[in-house]
């Protein structure tokens, strides 16, 4: 979008700025011609030189300028600016050329307002999609928005107009990136949108286990506290985290946020780089075995890679303190769930809190189903990322990604 302005002296004390706002294709970026005729015809453009430019808006502004130098009496200015102007004409042109298909909109939630996407073009939403359903629904899509649907030749092979794939998550293990590159289809994911809420959920899981909250909630609700002999009951003892060592596996945005909060609680924080290449100034890096052996709390915030797949297995759990609490808010397959279940049953660990599983939703043969003691294990159904604020932020970012992609 460009603003073309014309400044003229209308009297000794007043200057008039007449400006037209035009949508001009990028190919005219360095062109010195000005597609604006001023005066009564300021909305006209030279269609020979600029056949696909179109007028958006105009305005006129007067201001006092009795000190303006004489050589400024007639001045023409051409400036590229990023402007958030959406007139009906501009929107109409975008709508004619774009179709956006949401393949699993239920993963975003019905409470999140997606109406702003209607400004970009035709929007079609599907609650959930199988690969076969996606293959049919993406045929004429320019953009697809998804969370867990696999994107490969089977699901988008017939999508001849597809230009952009937007993943409403940070992880992109469901994308066949080689196939997308071969087709010249770009993809976007979103990082950082849920840092605060995942860190918050990390501590929610920790405190639920550390302070034996299930036990004490049950104690009161079973009415054992009614008419009790003492004002307090703490037979299921717990400890403060100040002075504990907190080991973090994966010190990305979320890992650092958890580390900073843990430090505020008085923890000694160490971390392990799963790639072996990540050194973070201000944070103490240790090897994996040292982290496991010395930490009172171990939390995983790493992505799923060849380096992290099955990282937390029988050998890893055996190296941890028997009093340690283990938390996984990274990716489910990082943990060997059979080994974790056995470690909890054998007392190799005090407790575990999980927000992710190897297979989601939880499968019938998941070995963790056998552990019914909530003081030992709490599993939440992949909700750490899903606060209202995080999901709202996520969808605003996706909207901007689509808008920026087509603007460029």
């Amino acid at each position: 979008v460009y603003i073309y302005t014309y400044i003229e002296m209308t009297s000794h004390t007043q200057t008039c700025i007449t400006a037209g706002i035009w949508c001009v294709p990028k190919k005219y970026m360095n062109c010195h011609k000005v597609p604006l005729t001023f005066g009564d015809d300021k909305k006209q453009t030279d269609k020979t030189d600029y056949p696909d430019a179109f007028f958006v808006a105009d305005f006129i502004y007067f201001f006092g300028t009795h000190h303006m130098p004489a050589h400024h009496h007639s001045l023409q200015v051409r400036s590229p600016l990023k402007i958030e102007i959406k007139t009906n004409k501009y929107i109409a042109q975008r709508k004619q050329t774009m179709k956006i298909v949401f393949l699993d909109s239920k993963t975003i939630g019905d409470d999140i307002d997606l109406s702003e996407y209607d400004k970009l073009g035709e929007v079609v939403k599907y609650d959930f999609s199988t690969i076969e359903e996606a293959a049919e629904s993406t045929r004429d899509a320019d953009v697809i928005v998804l969370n867990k649907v696999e994107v490969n030749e089977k699901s988008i092979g017939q999508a001849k107009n597809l230009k952009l794939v937007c993943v409403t998550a940070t992880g992109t293990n469901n994308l066949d990136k080689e196939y997308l590159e071969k087709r010249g289809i770009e993809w976007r994911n979103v990082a950082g949108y849920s840092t605060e809420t995942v860190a918050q959920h990390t501590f929610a899981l920790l405190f639920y286990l550390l302070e034996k909250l299930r036990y004490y909630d049950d104690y009161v609700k079973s009415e054992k506290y009614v008419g009790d002999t003492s004002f307090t009951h703490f037979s299921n003892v717990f400890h403060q985290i100040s002075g504990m060592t907190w080991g973090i596996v994966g010190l990305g945005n979320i890992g650092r946020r958890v580390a900073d909060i843990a430090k505020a609680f008085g923890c000694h924080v160490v971390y392990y780089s799963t790639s072996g290449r990540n050194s973070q100034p201000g944070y103490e890096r240790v090897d994996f075995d040292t982290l496991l052996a010395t930490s009172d709390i171990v939390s995983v915030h790493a992505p799923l890679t060849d380096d992290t797949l099955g990282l937390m297995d029988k050998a890893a759990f055996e190296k941890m303190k028997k009093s340690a609490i283990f938390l996984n808010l990274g990716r489910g397959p990082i943990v060997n769930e059979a080994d974790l279940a056995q470690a909890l049953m054998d007392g190799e660990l005090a407790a575990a809190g999980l927000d992710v599983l190897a297979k989601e939703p939880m499968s019938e043969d998941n070995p963790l189903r056998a552990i019914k003691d909530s003081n030992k294990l709490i599993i939440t159904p992949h909700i750490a990322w899903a606060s209202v604020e995080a999901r709202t932020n996520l969808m605003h970012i996706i909207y901007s990604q689509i808008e920026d992609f087509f603007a460029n």
Side-chain angles (χ1 to χ4, degrees):
V1 176
Y2 289 89
I3 286 184
Y4 296 90
T5 64
Y6 186 79
I7 304 175
E8 62 178 339
M9 182 75 78
T10 59
S11 71
H12 290 295
T13 60
Q14 193 175 64
T15 292
C16 167
I17 295 181
T18 304
I21 302 176
W22 287 74
C23 286
V24 182
K26 193 174 182 179
K27 60 189 177 184
Y28 301 130
M29 177 81 64
N30 298 315
C31 185
H32 296 292
K33 301 172 184 177
V34 178
L36 190 62
T37 303
F38 295 97
D40 294 336
D41 299 319
K42 62 178 177 292
K43 292 186 182 181
Q44 300 300 314
T45 180
D46 185 339
K47 292 297 181 182
T48 301
D49 294 330
Y50 302 95
D52 43 4
F54 64 91
F55 182 82
V56 176
D58 67 82
F59 57 86
I60 188 166
Y61 182 62
F62 295 91
F63 61 95
T65 179
H66 56 278
H67 296 300
M68 177 176 276
H71 67 273
H72 280 181
H73 286 188
S74 181
L75 177 66
Q76 196 166 4
V77 182
R78 181 177 185 271
S79 306
L81 298 173
K82 185 174 182 181
I83 306 171
E84 296 297 325
I85 294 178
K86 302 290 187 297
T87 67
N88 290 337
K89 187 171 184 179
Y90 177 64
I91 294 168
Q93 179 155 331
R94 295 286 286 273
K95 282 188 173 182
Q96 291 172 7
T97 59
M98 190 189 306
K99 181 175 181 178
I100 304 169
V101 176
F102 287 76
L103 292 177
D104 50 8
S105 63
K106 283 290 186 181
T107 64
I108 300 162
D110 295 331
D111 58 318
I112 303 302
D113 183 8
L114 301 178
S115 61
E116 67 176 342
Y117 284 81
D118 294 332
K119 300 175 184 178
L120 298 175
E122 178 188 358
V123 178
V124 179
K125 301 186 189 77
Y126 296 94
D127 290 350
F128 300 100
S129 299
T130 64
I131 290 180
E132 293 74 22
E133 290 168 341
E136 182 63 30
S137 57
T138 61
R139 281 177 179 269
D140 56 351
D142 296 285
V143 181
I144 57 175
V145 183
L146 57 105
N147 189 300
K148 295 299 182 186
V149 178
E150 292 185 14
V151 177
N152 50 40
E153 187 171 4
K154 289 183 179 179
S155 59
I156 63 167
Q158 301 177 74
K160 303 306 180 185
N161 298 330
L162 189 59
K163 304 171 185 66
L164 180 65
V165 175
C166 292
V167 182
T168 59
T170 303
T172 56
N173 301 94
N174 54 326
L175 303 188
D176 184 339
K177 299 187 179 84
E178 289 184 6
Y179 177 71
L180 292 175
E181 184 177 5
K182 179 182 176 182
R183 287 275 308 274
I185 299 169
E186 295 195 31
W187 59 271
R188 301 285 187 273
N189 65 334
V190 184
Y193 72 95
S194 63
T195 298
E196 295 300 325
T197 191
V198 175
Q200 173 180 297
H201 196 68
T202 301
F203 283 85
L205 294 178
L206 171 69
F207 291 133
Y208 180 89
L209 296 167
L210 180 72
E211 297 202 352
K212 316 296 176 60
L213 295 183
R214 175 60 184 269
Y215 169 83
Y216 288 110
D217 185 46
D218 287 346
Y219 180 81
V220 172
K221 287 179 177 170
S222 67
E223 301 192 357
K224 292 178 181 178
Y225 189 52
V226 176
D228 206 350
T229 55
S230 174
F231 76 96
T232 184
H233 172 83
F234 48 82
S235 62
N236 201 346
V237 298
F238 58 93
H239 302 273
Q240 65 182 28
I241 65 172
S242 179
M244 289 186 178
T245 296
W246 189 314
I248 295 177
V249 179
L251 200 70
N253 290 335
I254 295 171
R256 285 194 300 273
R257 187 66 177 125
V258 170
D260 292 343
I261 298 171
K263 286 181 179 179
F265 272 104
C267 291
H268 171 221
V269 178
V270 297
Y271 80 96
Y272 168 67
S273 171
T274 57
S275 67
R277 301 185 298 271
N278 187 10
S279 292
Q280 298 278 355
Y283 301 90
E284 183 181 348
R285 178 177 167 181
V286 297
D287 61 70
F288 189 48
D289 287 351
T290 298
L291 182 142
L292 295 174
T294 60
S295 296
D296 301 290
I297 304 158
V298 174
S299 63
V300 176
H301 306 283
L304 181 62
T305 66
D306 291 340
D307 294 321
T308 61
L309 179 63
L311 179 67
M312 297 303 301
D313 58 8
K314 183 176 186 293
F317 293 127
E318 287 178 345
K319 293 173 183 175
M320 292 175 64
K321 295 180 178 180
K322 292 184 183 297
S323 59
I325 294 175
F326 172 72
L327 308 170
N328 185 16
L329 294 98
R331 288 293 180 264
I334 294 175
V335 176
N336 184 310
E337 292 169 346
D339 290 349
L340 174 59
Q342 195 63 52
L344 289 170
M345 289 187 285
D346 292 346
E348 294 292 337
L349 295 175
L354 312 175
D355 185 60
V356 289
L357 297 172
K359 185 178 180 181
E360 297 170 345
M362 192 176 199
S363 62
E364 291 186 4
D365 60 351
N366 190 307
L368 294 169
R369 289 183 64 198
I371 301 175
K372 303 301 183 183
D373 185 353
S374 295
N375 295 296
K376 280 186 173 291
L377 176 66
I378 178 173
I379 300 175
T380 51
H382 207 142
I383 63 169
W385 67 281
S387 69
V388 172
E389 293 78 9
R391 287 181 290 125
T392 300
N393 186 29
L394 168 66
M395 297 317 297
H396 281 321
I397 294 171
I398 294 287
Y399 175 90
S400 297
Q401 289 175 341
I402 297 172
E403 189 175 44
D404 291 346
F405 176 83
F406 284 94
N408 295 324

